Amino acid sequence: LLLLLGGSGSPGSPPPPRGPWAEERGAVPEGQPWGRARYEAVKKHLGAVGAVSKRYWQYVACKVWQQGCEEKEQEERESSPIPSWGFPLVGQDYLEILSAWYCSFGKCCETGDCRIINNITGLEADLSGQLHGQHLAKEVVVRALQGFLQSPRPQKALVLSFHGWSGTGKNFVARLMASHLYRDGLKSECVRVFVSLLHFPHHNYVHSYKAQLQRQISETLQHCRQALFIFDEAEKLHSSLLDAIRPFMAHHDSKGQADHQRSIFLFLSNLGGNTINEVALDFWRAGRAREEISMELLEQQLRLELQEAAETSYAHSHLLREKLIDAVVPFLPLEYHHVKLCARDAFLARGLPYTEATLDEVAQMMVFVPKEEKLFSAQGCKSVPQRINYFLP
């Protein structure tokens, strides 16, 4: 199109003042429409347009699939009748924009690093709007990630340990973190999820698991400068497995930054849930709002419980003794109005209508404890999405 409008295929050449066949028009005698000269002019310019289109496509293709591009370019340089061929300057800029746009949803690099987005603002917004009853978790997770990602040379991996009853939001926060740190979320090549009873079910094969786990972590770290590792049901991990990943989380000399210094480790555990619930219940009985529960109070009690629980493999690990865990994140038990908010989100996610009466019905189907107060949902919001199936038309 640029050539047809009078543009040039090489940078720096001034465009002619008239159309592509303006000069040939005067050479044709009157009464002979178009003529041979006009036909040749149009043919020449259409051929040039086709060449430009071909070169543009080849440029974009080489931006995406680099294999064989150097050989093709060498062949074209040897056979090209126009040795000074070049892209128009404006066209080159647009090609860069086009290739960047393709990379926003395609795989255009050899590593997963081009898919990292680190959208902390979006994460904070989603935590505020979708995570209910967890003011401590929201604050700690956002603050820890911001400090870690803004540090130019962190001395160790970021290690967060989530604790609380089932259904309080530990897995939900882990999924949100993955979706806001990586464009592909949990499907990213830089994210690995391990579930204790699923991936490491038999203690007799713990040595095989240990070698396999170390190999998988090493391969992921070689592929990605920033990796996320999620360990669900961490309290059921064998101590040897926790010791196996300890070197990947240990402190390092800041002078020689290792590849795994940009890694993030999440441990999700039900351990400590009773301690968290007792503190929340004491605040309720004292007439104090749950938002008054401080991080210092809960984290101190949680660390004491984890260190004193000698029968669990979690306490046998070096994670706590060597202070490798940067933050113990407590997830408070959910109350009746939190369950209603979870039900509302479930209805909205499926595009279903709801009323306040419907949300009350869903919440009333849950089991609440303790027996006297019936204050906290025993399963949190874990089974709420399944409960709304009873209200489908």
Side-chain angles (χ1 to χ4, degrees):
L1 291 177
L2 289 174
L3 288 173
L4 287 174
L5 293 174
S8 175
S10 57
S13 57
R18 289 172 292 180
W21 52 83
E23 295 186 6
E24 287 87 343
R25 179 175 302 177
V28 179
E30 293 185 4
Q32 298 183 8
W34 285 76
R36 184 69 182 175
R38 297 176 185 175
Y39 169 77
E40 292 295 337
V42 173
K43 181 179 178 181
K44 179 180 66 175
H45 285 282
L46 288 177
V49 170
V52 171
S53 301
K54 181 179 178 182
R55 292 299 296 268
Y56 273 14
W57 167 249
Q58 179 183 343
Y59 180 86
V60 175
C62 286
K63 279 286 185 177
V64 179
W65 303 285
Q66 291 86 2
Q67 296 180 357
C69 286
E70 296 181 359
E71 293 80 358
K72 292 181 180 179
E73 291 179 357
Q74 181 64 27
E75 293 176 1
E76 290 198 2
R77 279 195 296 267
E78 295 175 356
S79 59
S80 176
I82 308 177
S84 60
W85 177 273
F87 288 120
L89 209 55
V90 176
Q92 182 84 13
D93 294 338
Y94 277 108
L95 286 173
E96 295 291 347
I97 296 174
L98 179 60
S99 62
W101 169 74
Y102 178 88
C103 289
S104 68
F105 63 88
K107 295 182 178 179
C108 57
C109 61
E110 297 180 356
T111 68
D113 296 327
C114 61
R115 311 290 292 170
I116 298 174
I117 54 178
N118 290 340
N119 183 13
I120 302 301
T121 302
L123 173 62
E124 187 174 9
D126 281 352
L127 288 175
S128 299
Q130 302 179 35
L131 182 65
H132 308 300
Q134 306 297 348
H135 67 285
L136 294 177
K138 296 175 186 178
E139 178 185 356
V140 174
V141 169
V142 172
R143 186 174 66 242
L145 281 176
Q146 281 181 335
F148 179 73
L149 297 177
Q150 291 175 0
S151 176
R153 302 179 71 88
Q155 296 184 357
K156 65 180 292 294
L158 176 63
V159 183
L160 302 178
S161 189
F162 293 175
H163 296 270
W165 266 6
S166 177
T168 53
K170 300 186 298 295
N171 280 281
F172 180 70
V173 173
R175 290 196 302 269
L176 281 182
M177 288 178 60
S179 64
H180 286 87
L181 294 179
Y182 305 91
R183 196 179 303 277
D184 302 317
L186 291 175
K187 297 181 180 180
S188 172
E189 298 176 352
C190 298
V191 179
R192 299 300 299 267
V193 180
F194 303 95
V195 183
S196 299
L197 296 182
L198 177 63
H199 295 93
F200 319 110
H202 305 293
H203 284 186
N204 293 335
Y205 303 106
V206 66
H207 293 293
S208 175
Y209 295 151
K210 180 178 179 180
Q212 179 183 357
L213 180 60
Q214 288 180 324
R215 182 177 66 254
Q216 290 176 338
I217 293 178
S218 298
E219 291 175 354
T220 305
L221 293 174
Q222 291 175 1
H223 184 73
C224 304
R225 289 191 299 268
Q226 177 184 305
L228 174 63
F229 302 98
I230 303 173
F231 292 86
D232 198 4
E233 299 177 348
E235 75 277 5
K236 299 172 184 176
L237 279 174
H238 194 276
S239 58
S240 296
L241 297 178
L242 287 170
D243 293 341
I245 61 179
R246 183 179 66 85
F248 299 102
M249 300 181 291
H251 295 265
H252 296 276
D253 187 1
S254 59
K255 295 181 180 179
Q257 184 176 359
D259 292 337
H260 54 260
Q261 289 182 354
R262 276 296 177 189
S263 55
I264 302 171
F265 288 82
L266 298 183
F267 294 95
L268 283 54
S269 173
N270 293 339
L271 199 64
N274 291 333
T275 297
I276 298 172
N277 296 351
E278 289 175 3
V279 173
L281 185 59
D282 291 340
F283 268 70
W284 181 82
R285 287 172 176 168
R288 303 176 62 183
R290 61 190 284 134
E291 287 74 19
E292 297 181 26
I293 301 176
S294 66
M295 186 63 194
E296 292 75 17
L297 173 64
L298 267 182
E299 185 176 19
Q300 181 181 6
Q301 295 195 25
L302 268 178
R303 288 182 178 272
L304 289 175
E305 179 180 347
L306 297 179
Q307 292 172 354
E308 293 173 357
E311 70 277 6
T312 65
S313 62
Y314 203 89
H316 285 262
S317 70
H318 296 286
L319 302 184
L320 287 168
R321 284 183 287 175
E322 297 188 10
K323 299 182 180 179
L324 296 179
I325 296 179
D326 297 291
V328 176
V329 185
F331 283 74
L332 302 173
L334 299 182
E335 300 176 8
Y336 183 87
H337 64 282
H338 299 134
V339 176
K340 287 183 60 177
L341 292 174
C342 292
R344 180 205 63 185
D345 294 344
F347 277 106
L348 292 175
R350 299 176 62 172
L352 298 174
Y354 67 90
T355 63
E356 284 296 321
T358 305
L359 300 183
D360 280 318
E361 289 186 57
V362 175
Q364 290 168 7
M365 297 173 67
M366 309 296 289
V367 177
F368 289 84
V369 293
K371 186 177 181 179
E372 296 79 13
E373 291 87 352
K374 293 186 177 181
L375 179 63
F376 304 132
S377 173
Q379 291 182 301
C381 287
K382 194 167 189 178
S383 61
V384 166
Q386 289 74 33
R387 303 279 179 168
I388 68 174
N389 292 331
Y390 293 100
F391 301 90
L392 296 180

